[in-house]
């Protein structure tokens, strides 16, 4: 049983290039999209030589999601994972009810709410999620800064006709479809540096949003 924690609701906003300004933008073509790569930061006063420190490039692969009862699982096949948050590259993205009230039911039902316990960002590059087929998905995002608060997040609603590109250093946790199974074509920086927060451990809070505008 997961101990009780406060659930903080964040607003659900329709994703447009205007509402996404600062976070990223909508993508019409996966093939023609490019990924921003950030130059490796200097360690002291000596500069990184021009043209170096940004040569790893991007990697591609599917980002797959599936609901198992009240739990949304994800797997990012563009990168190899070695994180404590993952089991064989699979990890929990969200729950459809407060985590301490999960019933154990394995049947899929439409998630009216989603609860998050973990967030992260990539300082080495941007990231793209492009749906393999149309379908509603949601992505909670927050602007850069390590002193993040749950209340800083907004949940962006996509109808599935376009993809999402997010800039480097944007707080996120992938994409959250409402359908039982979904797959996205993905691109991101190959270094795949990741900075994470376990919201339950650090704040004793969960982030949640409703799934209908």
């Amino acid at each position: 049983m997961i101990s009780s924690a406060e659930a903080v609701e964040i607003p659900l906003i329709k994703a447009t290039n205007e509402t996404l300004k600062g976070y990223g933008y909508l993508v019409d073509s996966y093939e023609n999209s490019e990924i921003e790569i950030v130059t490796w930061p200097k360690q002291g006063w000596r500069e990184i030589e021009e043209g170096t420190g940004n040569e790893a490039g991007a990697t591609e692969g599917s980002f797959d999601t599936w609901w198992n009862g009240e739990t949304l699982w994800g797997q990012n096949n563009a990168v190899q994972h070695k994180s404590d948050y993952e089991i064989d590259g699979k990890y929990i993205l969200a729950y459809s009810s407060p985590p301490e009230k999960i019933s154990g039911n394995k049947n899929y039902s439409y998630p009216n709410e989603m609860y998050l316990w973990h967030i992260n960002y990539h300082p080495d590059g941007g990231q793209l999620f492009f749906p393999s087929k149309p379908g509603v998905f949601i992505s909670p995002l927050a602007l850069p800064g390590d002193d993040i608060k749950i209340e800083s997040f907004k949940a962006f609603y996509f109808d599935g006709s376009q993809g999402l590109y997010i800039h480097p250093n944007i707080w996120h946790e992938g994409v959250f479809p409402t359908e039982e199974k979904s797959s996205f074509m993905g691109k991101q920086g190959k270094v795949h540096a990741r900075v994470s927060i376990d919201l339950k451990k650090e704040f004793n809070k969960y982030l949640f949003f409703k799934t209908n505008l």
Side-chain angles (χ1 to χ4, degrees), residues 94-206:
Y95 305 96
S96 61
S97 59
E100 65 271 12
K101 297 181 180 179
I102 295 294
S103 67
N105 178 19
K106 300 300 182 183
N107 296 322
Y108 167 77
S109 61
Y110 182 88
N112 293 305
E113 299 176 340
M114 296 194 201
Y115 293 76
L116 282 67
W117 65 279
H118 177 267
I119 55 174
N120 70 98
Y121 71 82
H122 306 303
D124 63 291
Q127 189 167 9
L128 168 65
F129 302 94
F130 199 94
S132 298
K133 63 178 183 178
V136 168
F137 66 93
I138 298 164
S139 184
L141 305 174
L143 296 172
D146 280 0
D147 295 324
I148 189 69
K149 295 179 174 58
I150 292 180
E151 295 81 1
S152 302
F153 275 82
K154 297 177 182 177
F156 292 91
Y157 179 98
F158 300 80
D159 65 10
S161 63
Q162 295 170 291
L164 165 65
Y165 177 78
I166 58 173
H167 298 302
N169 300 307
I170 295 297
W171 288 100
H172 67 289
E173 189 60 9
V175 285
F176 298 76
T178 56
E179 294 183 0
E180 184 174 5
K181 293 182 179 180
S182 299
S183 184
F184 297 78
M185 296 180 287
K187 293 182 186 180
Q188 66 184 98
K190 190 178 291 187
V191 173
H192 189 230
R194 187 165 66 182
V195 180
S196 297
I197 295 178
D198 184 320
L199 301 174
K200 175 65 169 59
K201 289 181 179 179
E202 187 163 331
F203 299 110
N204 197 35
K205 295 180 180 179
Y206 294 105

Side-chain angles (χ1 to χ4, degrees), residues 46-66:
R46 298 184 188 277
E47 299 293 333
I48 301 293
E49 289 187 21
E50 186 176 353
T52 70
N54 57 3
E55 300 162 278
T59 183
E60 301 184 31
S62 67
F63 186 90
D64 301 323
T65 66
W66 62 96

Side-chain angles (χ1 to χ4, degrees), residues 61-91:
S62 67
F63 186 90
D64 301 323
T65 66
W66 62 96
W67 283 97
N68 184 2
E70 297 159 281
T71 303
L72 178 63
W73 288 83
Q75 182 167 6
N76 187 349
N77 297 299
V79 292
Q80 293 183 346
H81 300 268
K82 298 180 181 179
S83 168
D84 293 338
Y85 296 113
E86 295 146 12
I87 303 171
D88 296 329
K90 306 176 183 68
Y91 51 94

